[in-house]
Amino acid sequence: MDFDLNEDRRMLQDTLGRFLREQYTIEKRLEFAQSEQGYSSQMWQQFADLGIIGALFDEKAGGYGGHGDDLMVVFEQLGKALVVEPILSSAVLSGTILSSLNSDLVEQIISGQTQVSLAHLEPESRYDLAHISASAVQDADDWVINAHKSMVLGASSANRLIVSARTGGEANDENGISLFLVDPMASGVELRSYSTIDGYGAADVFLVNSPAQLLGDKDKAFALIELAHARAIVAICAQCLGACEVAKDMTVEYMHTRKQFGVIIGKFQVLQHRMADVLIELEQMRSSIINAAGYLEDGRILREKHVSAAKNLIGRAGRQIAEEAIQIHGGIAMTWEASVSHYAKHIIMIDHLFGDTDHHLERYIELN
Amino acid sequence: MDLGYSESELAYRDEVREFLATRLPKRIANLVKNGKRLAKRDYEEWQAILNARGWLAPNWPKEHGGAEWSAVQKHIFEEECCIAGAPRILPFGLGMLAPVLMKFGSEQQKAHYLPRILDGTDWWCQGYSEPGAGSDLASLKTKAERQGDHYIVNGQKTWTTLGQYADWIFCLVRTSSEGKRQEGISFLLIDMKTPGIEIRPIILLDGEHEVNEVFFTDVKVPVENLVGEENKGWTYAKYLLTHERTGTAGIGFSNAALAHLKSIASTQMKSGRPLKQDPYFAARMAQVEIDLEALKTTNLRVLVQADSGAAPGPESSMLKIKGTVIRQEINDLARRALGPYALPFVSEALDEGYNESPIGPHYANPIAAEYFNNRKLSIFAGSNEIQRGIISKTKLGL
Ligand SMILES: Cc1cc2nc3c(=O)[nH]c(=O)nc-3n(C[C@H](O)[C@H](O)[C@H](O)COP(=O)(O)OP(=O)(O)OC[C@H]3O[C@@H](n4cnc5c(N)ncnc54)[C@H](O)[C@@H]3O)c2cc1C
């Protein structure tokens, strides 16, 4: 057994970590998040040029990584800087699907030229990947889609959308879901763009009789959608871990400097113990992600069990860590000025992406 | 033992309900129920309505225009107001300053300030905390030096809630650096329009301007604005902390928040049925409801005892801790209930006039922000760690 990163991944980690520490300060991050576009095009291109996007694809697809540990290494660093560029939606969610289908869009994604966004869940789906009621009908050689897709990450800047829709089956069937490529400029496509409370760009996407092109096999897309989400969950869990580490470091540092009653607050045993628990939970988080990343290329049940385990654990531990970080900082953590507040917001809101603690607990029980 | 309200308490509750049904403006109740921003005038409008009825100051004696209600009546009132969607009554003038003035203020101060608090002439804010003095309030440094008929005040207060609206601020200031730290603190009333005062906003993590920093540079305050005796301010501030206890547990707020949570959980769908029927979510809701039901009784037990003249004790610390933990848990569940639609946040949608269609369910927008904002509950008004310290010291002798 070996839990160490190999040489290549250590380099990837160091390069990305250094780049982010130097170039992606919290001030810049807030500026990017609050800008009209919601992220920085320049940063986006730099991530591509640094090979960060390529690291998320395997060699067959033209990348140089693409395994669980690559996702883990990259997203842990992105989480440490609260990076808002839509790497997750383009390279992981859409990238997994497109590379499995040998799409030539992958090359453009890796180079940073193209962004693709996956529009899958709907207002009624909650977190259920099979609960899809959008419809696609064939019209001669073309397909036409009607859909309302919710909380589509990275949608506003996407050059292409991957949209799921029913070509058969009932609202909850895994069978009968197909994927389509849609041009966001095409007729009938409308975006309602917004920012999430933790500063990430998303949109509700409406399609009314919009032209679309079938991707992969008709009716059989569920397995691929599930795989894309498994990989996205590993990524977002690692992102959460990175954010939690920073929140922990900030809190410990504050405990060393903030004085009340004539001593640093780090001297209060009750706070010491709670930070000790935070540290334990961080290690648990890391281990659960190692498990999920390690089984990512195994059979479905094994893979999904560990994916759900990680997402459940991260939801619980994340809440604890974010809430402790705020509480132990006291009033100052309640402010926009204090960067720890932005970390706390992101850590908490990750529970709302790709299934929360309860969803994955239930799923874990079912898979077991 | 008798768990029910008495005949007269029930009659009183009906009277309160009737009043709220007819006098609470629908416009304001809708803002509150939909988690929208309240403007200064919204608070003022509601307080004027309550004042006209003589209900604005439940715990003031009648001689000063209060309602002089029993603790149980106050409890009923709070519960009904919250459920009806009444704005909270800001405590600074009514609940914090007034009791101190009544007990320690001069006749002149009482005659001048109390009516102005009631009729809304003066909006008060609380100037206790400083950057270096949070939990350790006695370490405060803002200095007031006596010069003839004035104090000259220099220093900084922070976290001043809604200070941007305030006409006056009541401050704890240092008038002596000799002896015990607590014995050099005085209680001073300062007009916010005095030259030398500068107020700067602090934006909270949800983007809201709720608190402020207040800077004092050579601010001249007439000596008659001193409350009670010089260097006795700490005693007055402590009196205040143990005096106002009905609202500590925040039962009314939790009650209303739980009702809201239940309505969300009955419209949100999971696996083809309402979320409230989902065993995982139902268990979480039941758990917090069980805690809240018990706390209601704990709260009433404390209140009834206080009514019969029992000395105030660390019970208020218990109520504060459990009350805030429960409220925060309900906020957490509301956020969970929304699923992915907890994420979108449109700040402008919190404004009264906003009329674009909502993203996701109409109740979704403020929910996550409320969860984050209410993390303050366990930090302010004596952090929960400080309260636990009080309990273990005074109740357990540790
Ligand atoms: C939204 C908001 C509104 C506020 N409004 C007002 C207002 O209107 N007027 C006003 O005067 N103040 C106000 N406050 C200030 C509030 O009272 C302080 O935040 C509070 O006293 C805590 O102080 P602090 O934030 O400096 O935290 P600190 O005192 O620095 O505490 C940091 C951490 O250390 C812990 N800690 C401190 N001492 C001990 C100990 N002895 N043992 C164990 N743990 C300890 C605390 O519990 C906390 O977790 C407000 C605060 C907030 C957040």
Side-chain angles (χ1 to χ4, degrees):
Chain A
M1 225 171 264
D2 178 8
F3 293 113
D4 290 332
L5 295 175
N6 70 23
E7 187 57 31
D8 287 349
R9 297 207 172 92
R10 243 197 330 267
M11 267 175 57
L12 176 67
Q13 185 178 46
D14 292 348
T15 315
L16 179 56
R18 196 171 333 106
F19 173 76
L20 291 169
R21 276 192 304 279
E22 287 166 6
Q23 308 282 325
Y24 212 100
T25 58
I26 186 75
E27 292 76 21
K28 282 203 181 152
R29 186 275 187 183
L30 292 176
E31 190 188 311
F32 299 156
Q34 288 183 289
S35 68
E36 183 68 30
Q37 183 177 245
Y39 72 93
S40 153
S41 301
Q42 193 201 336
M43 280 295 165
W44 170 262
Q45 197 52 55
Q46 275 180 281
F47 287 130
D49 296 347
L50 276 173
I52 301 309
I53 302 180
L56 304 171
F57 291 89
D58 63 21
E59 281 163 22
K60 201 171 95 268
Y64 58 91
H67 297 287
D69 352 19
D70 300 295
L71 291 171
M72 190 172 163
V73 165
V74 167
F75 281 91
E76 183 180 349
Q77 297 303 318
L78 297 180
K80 285 187 169 187
L82 299 181
V83 167
V84 286
E85 282 64 32
I87 299 176
L88 181 71
S89 57
S90 198
V92 184
L93 279 170
S94 308
T96 301
I97 291 168
L98 294 170
S99 62
S100 301
L101 300 173
N102 301 315
S103 159
D104 47 16
L105 279 171
V106 172
E107 198 188 320
Q108 297 168 38
I109 291 179
I110 292 176
S111 71
Q113 216 180 318
T114 292
Q115 286 179 20
V116 183
S117 200
L118 174 65
H120 176 58
L121 290 179
E122 299 168 3
E124 299 289 307
S125 322
R126 200 171 173 87
Y127 300 118
D128 186 351
L129 296 181
H131 194 109
I132 295 305
S133 47
S135 70
V137 287
Q138 200 160 14
D139 176 12
D141 278 347
D142 297 326
W143 288 85
V144 168
I145 299 192
N146 282 285
H148 174 186
K149 299 291 182 180
S150 59
M151 258 304 299
V152 182
L153 289 169
S156 357
S157 54
N159 312 84
R160 287 285 180 280
L161 297 170
I162 300 175
V163 180
S164 60
R166 277 217 172 270
T167 40
E170 304 276 321
N172 275 315
D173 292 345
E174 293 179 3
N175 231 323
I177 300 175
S178 307
L179 289 171
F180 297 87
L181 202 60
V182 172
D183 180 347
M185 308 304 274
S187 71
V189 183
E190 247 183 78
L191 263 62
R192 173 94 188 266
S193 300
Y194 44 78
S195 166
T196 63
I197 193 161
D198 50 341
Y200 296 77
D204 272 29
V205 179
F206 302 86
L207 296 97
V208 180
N209 296 327
S210 300
Q213 183 193 329
L214 182 68
L215 270 181
D217 294 338
K218 181 171 156 295
D219 290 343
K220 297 273 175 272
F222 184 80
L224 196 48
I225 292 168
E226 193 178 59
L227 175 67
H229 280 86
R231 289 169 55 83
I233 287 172
V234 169
I236 199 84
C237 286
Q239 187 162 313
C240 189
L241 172 66
C244 284
E245 282 173 285
V246 175
K248 182 266 291 173
D249 289 345
M250 286 175 167
T251 309
V252 172
E253 194 188 317
Y254 194 71
M255 290 169 79
H256 278 291
T257 49
R258 173 67 170 171
K259 278 189 173 169
Q260 289 289 278
F261 303 100
V263 293
I264 53 166
I265 60 171
K267 288 279 176 234
F268 300 128
Q269 197 171 42
V270 60
L271 304 187
Q272 293 170 354
H273 286 190
R274 276 154 51 187
M275 282 316 283
D277 283 339
V278 161
L279 198 67
I280 294 169
E281 290 308 316
L282 268 171
E283 292 306 327
Q284 287 289 89
M285 268 187 167
R286 183 177 296 283
S287 297
S288 76
I289 302 168
I290 289 176
N291 289 344
Y295 288 109
L296 208 43
E297 281 151 50
D298 278 85
R300 176 185 174 259
I301 297 286
L302 201 55
R303 177 189 82 205
E304 292 300 325
K305 231 180 80 174
H306 286 285
V307 161
S308 278
K311 193 66 173 56
N312 169 268
L313 189 145
I314 257 115
R316 287 183 284 130
R319 179 186 176 197
Q320 180 181 344
I321 294 170
E323 291 184 354
E324 291 292 21
I326 295 180
Q327 183 67 23
I328 292 174
H329 271 84
I332 199 74
M334 288 297 302
T335 67
W336 190 272
E337 279 275 305
S339 30
V340 69
S341 72
H342 301 286
Y343 283 87
K345 282 190 284 185
H346 187 44
I347 295 165
I348 293 289
M349 297 320 287
I350 282 176
D351 200 35
H352 295 265
L353 284 175
F354 318 136
D356 66 6
T357 40
D358 286 355
H359 173 86
H360 284 287
L361 181 65
E362 189 177 359
R363 197 162 175 269
Y364 183 88
I365 294 168
E366 280 163 12
L367 288 161
N368 228 347
Chain B
M1 237 187 304
D2 180 3
L3 287 174
Y5 288 133
S6 71
E7 203 72 16
S8 63
E9 284 162 347
L10 284 175
Y12 163 81
R13 191 181 66 184
D14 290 341
E15 198 186 340
V16 171
R17 283 187 180 167
E18 159 73 16
F19 171 76
L20 287 166
T22 53
R23 302 309 307 277
L24 173 62
K26 293 279 171 299
R27 181 187 70 84
I28 294 182
N30 279 334
L31 292 179
V32 172
K33 287 184 169 174
N34 293 312
K36 301 257 184 178
R37 284 189 189 101
L38 292 181
K40 185 184 186 191
R41 65 181 171 88
D42 299 323
Y43 290 107
E44 289 174 337
E45 185 179 338
W46 176 231
Q47 299 202 2
I49 293 168
L50 284 174
N51 192 36
R53 177 66 180 254
W55 284 3
L56 180 57
N59 55 337
W60 290 21
K62 289 214 166 91
E63 58 161 315
H64 291 302
E68 216 177 304
W69 280 333
S70 72
V72 174
Q73 282 179 306
K74 279 186 272 183
H75 169 80
I76 291 174
F77 185 68
E78 274 169 18
E79 205 166 69
E80 294 299 327
C81 282
C82 286
I83 282 291
R88 70 185 179 117
I89 302 300
L90 294 172
F92 309 112
L94 287 157
M96 292 180 170
L97 175 63
V100 170
L101 287 181
M102 287 177 207
K103 178 106 173 160
F104 307 104
S106 66
E107 287 312 314
Q108 235 174 345
Q109 285 171 337
K110 283 186 242 187
H112 178 73
Y113 292 112
L114 295 178
R116 294 164 66 95
I117 291 176
L118 271 190
D119 70 16
T121 311
D122 295 333
W123 182 301
W124 284 88
C125 65
Q126 179 197 21
Y128 284 10
S129 304
E130 299 181 3
S135 299
D136 182 16
L137 188 56
S139 68
L140 61 90
K141 291 207 182 78
T142 297
K143 220 158 125 183
E145 278 174 303
R146 179 82 186 251
Q147 272 184 21
D149 291 343
H150 288 87
Y151 286 102
I152 306 297
V153 179
N154 279 288
Q156 183 197 342
K157 293 294 174 183
T158 191
W159 303 120
T160 327
T161 298
L162 299 184
Q164 68 267 37
Y165 300 152
D167 304 295
W168 285 79
I169 181 168
F170 57 94
C171 288
L172 291 179
V173 293
R174 186 154 296 289
T175 36
S176 164
S177 41
E178 276 158 38
K180 274 183 70 182
R181 300 181 309 168
Q182 285 83 350
E183 287 163 10
I185 292 172
S186 300
F187 199 106
L188 206 56
L189 312 177
I190 305 178
D191 184 341
M192 290 293 280
K193 286 183 284 297
T194 323
I197 296 183
E198 193 200 333
I199 181 160
R200 292 187 205 152
I202 297 176
I203 303 303
L204 292 188
L205 79 178
D206 53 358
E208 293 299 298
H209 176 195
E210 177 175 327
V211 295
N212 302 271
E213 297 177 288
V214 185
F215 297 87
F216 299 86
T217 314
D218 294 330
V219 174
K220 271 177 87 174
V221 182
V223 286
E224 57 266 27
N225 289 11
L226 177 74
V227 175
E229 291 174 50
E230 205 177 79
N231 297 332
K232 288 276 166 61
W234 187 256
T235 322
Y236 309 155
K238 286 201 85 162
Y239 166 78
L240 200 167
L241 291 180
T242 48
H243 183 85
E244 175 59 30
R245 302 199 309 162
T246 349
T248 314
I251 300 284
F253 293 117
S254 288
N255 236 358
L258 184 62
H260 191 42
L261 169 64
K262 285 181 176 175
S263 86
I264 293 176
S266 45
T267 53
Q268 285 292 112
M269 299 295 282
K270 182 182 166 197
S271 315
R273 60 184 172 191
L275 185 60
K276 69 171 186 193
Q277 288 170 19
D278 173 67
Y280 298 85
F281 202 80
R284 286 184 186 273
M285 286 206 299
Q287 204 72 83
V288 74
E289 185 168 331
I290 288 168
D291 288 345
L292 179 57
E293 284 306 312
L295 188 68
K296 282 182 192 171
T297 297
T298 309
N299 189 42
L300 284 167
R301 281 167 55 211
V302 172
L303 296 181
V304 168
Q305 227 177 19
D307 245 9
S308 57
E315 284 78 7
S316 64
S317 296
M318 294 190 186
L319 295 176
K320 199 268 172 172
I321 294 170
K322 204 68 205 175
T324 53
V325 168
I326 288 174
R327 234 174 117 187
Q328 289 176 332
E329 185 63 22
I330 297 171
N331 289 147
D332 179 76
L333 292 183
R335 157 180 84 67
R336 284 171 197 276
L338 292 179
Y341 273 128
L343 283 154
F345 181 60
V346 180
S347 177
E348 307 83 73
L350 298 178
D351 286 333
E352 184 174 4
Y354 186 85
N355 50 18
E356 282 180 48
S357 64
I359 294 158
H362 67 90
Y363 45 73
N365 193 52
I367 298 289
E370 267 162 25
Y371 160 81
F372 287 113
N373 184 280
N374 273 345
R375 298 314 306 170
K376 72 189 173 190
L377 298 177
S378 46
I379 296 171
F380 68 10
S383 77
N384 286 13
E385 287 74 28
I386 294 296
Q387 305 288 2
R388 289 189 184 97
I390 292 172
I391 294 170
S392 50
K393 195 164 154 190
T394 54
K395 203 75 179 167
L396 305 173
L398 295 171

